[in-house]
Amino acid sequence: MNPVLFHLAFPVTDIAQTKAFYAEGLGCTVGRENATSVILNLYGHQLVAHTTSEPLMPQRGIYPRHFGLVFTSESDWEELLERSQQRQLRFYQEPKRRFTGLPLEHRTFFLEDPFHNLLEFKFYCHPAAIFGDRDFAQVGDR
C-alpha cells in the first residue's frame, strides 16, 4: 500500500487565532485558506479548521474527544514539548508518564487550542503498545 495521510476537520471561530496557535505555536505549515477555513500540515497530516457560529464549549475532561500525534522518536516528542512551552501554549494536562513500568508506558501531554479542541501528543516507550499488547486492557486515565 502507498503511504496515506490522515485528515481531520475541526471547528474554530477565528482563522487568525487558528493560524496563531497551529502555525506559529505548533509549527504547522499553512496551506489553502479563505475567510471560513484553513488547511494545516501537522507533521504531514491534513488538518482543516472550519469556522462555525455555534458556541464551542470547553470539555469536562479529555474524553471522549481529542486528537493528536503518536511520536516514534522521543526526541521529536521532547522538541514539540519544548516548543509548546516556549510559545506558552495552553497545557490542558502537563507532561507526564502513564503506566510506568508496564509495556504500555508512554509520555504524554495535552494542549487546548483557543476553541477548546484538545490535542494529545504521545511517545510510547515500547512501540508494540501503539496498536498491540492485547494482554493489557488499560486505555487512558479513566
Side-chain angles (χ1 to χ4, degrees):
M1 175 189 271
N2 292 313
V4 296
L5 304 177
F6 182 75
H7 161 80
L8 175 73
F10 61 99
V12 300
T13 57
D14 183 273
I15 296 299
Q17 279 185 299
T18 300
K19 291 186 335 187
F21 180 87
Y22 287 90
E24 296 166 28
L26 287 179
C28 293
T29 304
V30 176
R32 293 186 310 278
E33 68 176 286
N34 58 39
T36 61
S37 59
V38 61
I39 294 176
L40 303 156
N41 176 341
L42 178 65
Y43 290 84
H45 301 283
Q46 185 190 60
L47 301 182
V48 184
H50 293 282
T51 58
T52 182
S53 58
E54 295 178 21
L56 300 176
M57 306 302 292
Q59 289 183 206
R60 293 192 176 156
I62 58 175
Y63 304 112
R65 187 175 56 83
H66 62 268
F67 65 94
L69 297 173
V70 176
F71 285 89
T72 57
S73 162
E74 189 168 19
S75 64
D76 290 344
W77 181 87
E78 289 171 344
E79 231 175 79
L80 182 61
L81 171 61
E82 186 175 311
R83 179 185 179 99
S84 300
Q85 291 167 330
Q86 288 173 345
R87 288 181 171 64
Q88 299 179 338
L89 298 181
R90 184 169 188 266
F91 280 79
Y92 189 83
Q93 282 189 3
E94 293 292 327
K96 65 181 179 180
R97 283 189 185 269
R98 281 188 180 143
F99 309 123
T100 304
L102 294 175
L104 307 178
E105 183 174 350
H106 62 279
R107 298 178 72 185
T108 183
F109 66 91
F110 281 81
L111 298 176
E112 182 176 13
D113 79 5
F115 316 101
H116 310 296
N117 295 300
L118 301 181
L119 294 84
E120 181 181 19
F121 300 98
K122 315 182 201 193
F123 168 76
Y124 281 90
C125 300
H126 309 283
I130 295 171
F131 293 110
D133 261 327
R134 295 177 53 94
D135 294 338
F136 296 88
Q138 296 96 324
V139 177
D141 292 330
R142 289 203 185 243

